[in-house]
Amino acid sequence: GVVSPGWFGFSSGGTAATNQDAYQACVASLPSTGGVIIIPPTGTAHQVDDSLTHGSRYVSVIGAHPDLSIIETTAAASLKHGLIFSKSYSVKNLTVKTSSALTVNYSMKAINFDSPATASQHFVVDNFKSTGFNIGIYADGSSSYNIDRGSVHNTSVQVAGPASSYVGSCLNMNRITQLDIDLFTVNQNACGDHAVYLFGCKNLKIHKGKIRGASTSQSQAIKIVGNGAGGSSAVYENWTVEDVDTDTCFNGVLVSTFGTEVLKNVRITTVSLKNITGEAGIPGAITVTTSGTSRIRNVAIDKSHMENLGYRGLHVSMASGAFVDQISWTNSTAYNWSTASSGTYS
């Protein structure tokens, strides 16, 4: 149950096709339930030419260090992801990158964990680095919420693609019951959409992050929303953003609910929002909205610093019949807002 693709010919000097076959042979050698795959620490990239798949197995893919254990794909085609999982997994001490930064949107993901068929799944990504893909780390528990827990820790992700808006984020995680993102650096690299994009998560915490480059028109540094417009009636518990530094992004932090959803607590604390272009439709560096007849019980914003903003610092809006029950904004500083609108925004 503990194997290395190096035993099957996986080599930093091997061809991408040979390494691809070796890796898949390594996976096939595991028991049907799964096991551990050890990536050799050569310090030089192991090239592959297609997605690395793991079948219906519980798998840990473990390297020695992101600068030593490196998987590099030469593929540049639709849905040619780095690593694909369909059951609970962990990825640690590893770099997954493209051989050349993508310039076309192929929806290629560094890690893809999409709609597992089995309930109560989870994932851990730790000490991980990715560059060159259209999307970094992706997970979706589906409408059944089959991903119970997700943990992303100590990661660095930079995406790539055309300088236009499309579905492509450094961290894109959806419909997870409990999600923790901690100690991360992401660069949206002026492409795709939102640097951190989370929808429909029941409990989530974003902690200690550095966000850059979400500068494409309408991009958010952080976008946290409910499970889609229309008929969603989900109940969410706590959404927390803390110790986050954003700079040079089109928009800052957006929180939004839909349908008849209820969100109990939003807490945004100790955040720095600098050089936010903004737009009239989403005017706040921090914007909180409720649509339909949805409801947010408590919004608490504390220890925020806002500097060089196109429009407004904090903006809260509610559709007719939608509510935000309590708003607290404390211990905040703001400098040079409303730069795009001749000072007309408070």
Side-chain angles (χ1 to χ4, degrees), residues 7-340:
W7 303 346
F8 299 83
F10 192 74
S11 165
S12 58
T15 67
T18 298
N19 284 341
Q20 180 76 32
D21 291 343
Y23 190 94
Q24 296 304 160
C26 173
V27 173
S29 76
L30 287 170
S32 60
T33 51
V36 181
I37 298 172
I38 306 296
I39 306 300
T42 63
T44 306
H46 295 77
Q47 288 194 330
V48 296
D49 62 3
D50 206 340
S51 305
L52 300 180
T53 62
H54 301 88
S56 185
R57 295 177 175 85
Y58 299 109
V59 177
S60 292
V61 182
I62 300 176
H65 187 281
D67 292 336
L68 297 176
S69 300
I70 304 166
I71 296 173
E72 179 181 276
T73 181
T74 62
S78 180
L79 303 180
K80 298 290 187 180
H81 308 306
L83 305 174
I84 297 177
F85 300 95
S86 59
K87 278 194 171 182
S88 297
Y89 75 88
S90 63
V91 171
K92 296 184 178 182
N93 311 329
L94 188 66
T95 289
V96 179
K97 65 178 184 174
T98 60
S99 56
S100 298
L102 297 175
T103 58
V104 175
N105 176 26
Y106 294 120
S107 296
M108 289 176 59
K109 304 164 185 171
I111 299 178
N112 186 39
F113 188 32
D114 191 3
S115 302
T118 308
S120 302
Q121 301 302 293
H122 59 88
F123 66 90
V124 174
V125 180
D126 187 13
N127 200 23
F128 175 78
K129 183 177 180 180
S130 171
T131 59
F133 288 89
N134 301 127
I135 302 169
I137 303 170
Y138 180 87
D140 188 347
S142 78
S143 59
S144 300
Y145 282 84
N146 281 344
I147 301 177
D148 183 59
R149 303 181 310 284
S151 173
V152 177
H153 174 72
N154 192 21
T155 59
S156 174
V157 178
Q158 177 174 307
V159 293
S164 59
S165 180
Y166 53 87
V167 177
S169 299
C170 292
L171 304 177
N172 186 187
M173 299 172 199
N174 313 312
R175 296 180 290 195
I176 298 168
T177 302
Q178 300 177 88
L179 175 64
D180 184 78
I181 300 172
D182 175 61
L183 196 61
F184 65 96
T185 299
V186 296
N187 185 346
Q188 192 60 24
N189 199 22
C191 67
D193 52 8
H194 319 296
V196 179
Y197 184 21
L198 316 173
F199 77 77
C201 295
K202 296 295 182 69
N203 280 286
L204 67 86
K205 183 177 182 180
I206 301 170
H207 181 233
K208 290 194 180 300
K210 175 182 175 181
I211 301 174
R212 299 291 185 270
S215 55
T216 307
S217 179
Q218 299 184 333
S219 291
Q220 306 285 336
I222 300 174
K223 183 174 183 178
I224 311 172
V225 298
N227 192 20
S232 176
S233 58
V235 176
Y236 309 109
E237 304 300 327
N238 305 296
W239 294 354
T240 300
V241 177
E242 66 179 17
D243 296 345
V244 173
D245 157 31
T246 73
D247 199 337
T248 317
C249 295
F250 194 84
N251 287 306
V253 179
L254 173 67
V255 174
S256 185
T257 55
F258 308 101
T260 60
E261 295 173 338
V262 175
L263 167 58
K264 295 177 183 176
N265 292 295
V266 175
R267 185 168 68 92
I268 300 172
T269 182
T270 321
V271 293
S272 173
L273 297 157
K274 293 178 61 179
N275 303 315
I276 304 297
T277 305
E279 57 184 294
I282 308 176
I286 297 175
T287 296
V288 178
T289 69
T290 53
S291 64
T293 56
S294 64
R295 193 174 206 121
I296 300 177
R297 298 293 189 188
N298 295 290
V299 175
I301 299 164
D302 184 45
K303 300 183 184 69
S304 61
H305 175 71
M306 303 175 179
E307 184 175 339
N308 301 334
L309 311 179
Y311 291 86
R312 172 173 283 148
L314 171 64
H315 179 81
V316 181
S317 68
M318 292 146 278
S320 177
F323 296 88
V324 176
D325 291 344
Q326 179 169 269
I327 303 167
S328 169
W329 187 19
T330 56
N331 302 318
S332 297
T333 54
Y335 171 76
N336 198 33
W337 64 90
S338 203
T339 61

